[in-house]
């Protein structure tokens, strides 16, 4: 599509374009994807740290 035609269409419809000429002001992708990935990575790190450095002694020892 021609950029002038797109600009005319945007002007006619009255869209307010935000960052990167997108039709919303706050980007959705960084909030949903990157935040979720960050939480997942932090959870994995806490699992690893919890296995390497336990804070309590085991309640019951397993006897074979």
């Amino acid at each position: 599509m021609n950029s002038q035609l797109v600009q005319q269409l945007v002007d006619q419809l009255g869209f307010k374009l935000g960052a990167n000429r997108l039709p919303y002001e706050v980007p959705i992708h960084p909030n949903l994807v990157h935040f979720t990935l960050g939480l997942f990575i932090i959870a994995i790190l806490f699992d690893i740290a919890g296995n390497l450095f336990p804070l309590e002694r085991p309640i019951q020892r397993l006897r074979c």
Side-chain angles (χ1 to χ4, degrees):
M1 247 185 177
N2 191 357
S3 63
Q4 292 176 347
L5 182 61
V6 172
Q7 187 61 38
Q8 287 177 357
L9 181 63
V10 167
D11 291 339
Q12 286 177 357
L13 295 176
F15 289 143
K16 294 180 180 178
L17 300 180
N20 298 329
R21 299 181 49 85
L22 297 174
Y24 43 82
E25 293 182 12
V26 177
I28 298 169
H29 171 79
N31 293 337
L32 295 179
V33 175
H34 298 153
F35 184 68
T36 306
L37 283 174
L39 288 178
F40 180 75
I41 291 169
I42 289 172
I44 296 295
L45 292 176
F46 272 107
D47 286 342
I48 292 170
N51 283 323
L52 292 178
F53 306 105
L55 295 177
E56 300 176 357
R57 283 191 257 161
I59 295 173
Q60 183 180 11
R61 290 186 186 183
L62 296 175
R63 297 180 186 175
C64 295

